[in-house]
Each structure stands twice: as structure tokens, then as C-alpha cells.
Amino acid sequence: MEYYYDIYLNFNEYPINYYEWDKDDDIERVLKIPIVRINDIKEVITKHATIETDLDKLILCDGVNAIALELVDKHVAFLSCLSYEDEANICDIVHDMDITPLVINFAKKRIIPFELRQEEKMKKIFLHDLDVFDDNLLRYIYYDITNKLEQDIEKIKKYLERDIEKNFGAKYVTLFQNLCKY
């Protein structure tokens, strides 16, 4: 079995891309972790799974992508993306390895958010701050988003709440950066 040495991992219930790791995350330094080559890691990432192995932490790699897993009672409890450099190094290592036949049982789909963590945080703060903003500021935000004038504050709040949930994008990010404490 091959091992990878001295790697930083950020185990979570769903994989968080390396570039989204946050200073508040529980980033763990692992000094030695086994590498296992399998055919395809996509299903391991997208579905809950149990793996018949005695290992509690390992890196699965298919030669193109790699993911670190933390197992609890053989169940894939936590996943961690790797830095680009570590992933490339591991792909180089597995290039000469044989595929390991692991018994993997898949269950339901794993919930993986599609939004960037930063945008998700902004959205939550913005939604919370809608109750704090004064009426004139809410009218300004509504006008900036819709190019329409509206006086009914409750209508404005309801519209903005729905629109932030469904259409949070560049316009809201700019507003957020200018208006909210972040």
C-alpha cells in the first residue's frame, strides 16, 4: 500500500473545494495517510457510502481526481478535497498503482451545495439584515434591483427575501459589500 505524507485536510459532511477553506474551519494536519486507487471516485463523493475496510482515513484516487475520506464504522462520514498540489502528487503516485477492489455500498445521494460558501454566508447575512435596514434603504435596494419605485415596505421585504433566495448574484454581492458589515 502506498502512503502520502504531511497533508492538510478539511473534513466535512460534503467536500469543500480547497480554495473555499476558511480560517474558522477545523483543518487537520495528517502525517501519514494511505492511498487507494479505484476506477471512479465520483459516486463516492456524490452518495453516502460504506466501505469494507479497516482504515479510518484514506485517500481515494482514480488517476484524475482524489478525495480524502474519514470513516466511522465503515461509513464515509466526512470528506475533504485536497490542495491542487497534493492532488496532482497523488495522481502521479497512483499512476503506477493497480486498482484496489474495494467493496463499496452506496446509499442515498449526498446533499452538496452548489453555491460558494462565501456567497452562502453573504446571503444569510443579507437576509438577516433586511430586518435591520431602515425603510429608505430598503426602498433604495428594491429600486436598485428592480428599477421600480415601491412604498410598501412589507412588499419590498417579501420581494427581496424571495429574490435573494432565488437570484443571489453579482448585483446582490456588490450591494452586500457596500451595505452589510462583513
Side-chain angles (χ1 to χ4, degrees), residues 32-149:
K32 180 180 177 183
I33 188 167
I35 303 170
V36 177
R37 182 175 184 180
I38 62 173
N39 279 328
D40 190 5
I41 67 169
K42 289 181 194 127
E43 206 168 10
V44 176
I45 295 170
T46 59
K47 293 184 178 177
H48 290 277
T50 54
I51 300 175
E52 295 299 322
T53 182
D54 293 331
L55 301 170
D56 61 342
K57 288 182 185 169
L58 68 146
I59 294 175
L60 291 183
C61 184
D62 58 13
V64 177
N65 299 300
I67 190 89
L69 307 176
E70 186 170 359
L71 305 176
V72 176
D73 296 329
K74 300 183 186 227
H75 175 74
V76 178
F78 304 104
L79 302 96
S80 175
C81 288
L82 314 177
S83 72
Y84 298 126
E85 183 180 354
D86 289 329
E87 188 169 34
N89 290 339
I90 289 166
C91 286
D92 285 343
I93 292 168
V94 302
H95 186 272
D96 296 325
M97 290 174 58
D98 292 330
I99 292 175
T100 303
L102 285 178
V103 176
I104 304 174
N105 297 309
F106 296 104
K108 65 181 181 177
K109 257 187 125 162
R110 185 179 299 276
I111 297 171
I112 301 175
F114 291 105
E115 291 180 317
L116 296 174
R117 288 173 80 195
Q118 203 71 351
E119 284 186 6
E120 188 179 334
K121 285 181 185 178
M122 284 183 202
K123 188 193 291 190
K124 284 180 183 175
I125 293 169
F126 206 138
L127 285 169
H128 174 267
D129 286 355
L130 287 178
D131 293 329
V132 178
F133 293 148
D134 69 31
D135 293 353
N136 289 329
L137 184 55
L138 287 170
R139 287 184 186 102
Y140 167 78
I141 294 169
Y142 181 83
Y143 180 77
D144 194 48
I145 296 297
T146 65
N147 289 328
K148 296 178 184 175
L149 294 173

Side-chain angles (χ1 to χ4, degrees), residues 122 126 129 133 137 140-141 144 170-182:
M122 284 183 202
F126 206 138
D129 286 355
F133 293 148
L137 184 55
Y140 167 78
I141 294 169
D144 194 48
K171 219 170 192 181
Y172 280 110
V173 170
T174 302
L175 274 169
F176 177 85
Q177 291 169 338
N178 291 329
L179 301 174
C180 299
K181 300 171 202 116
Y182 187 54

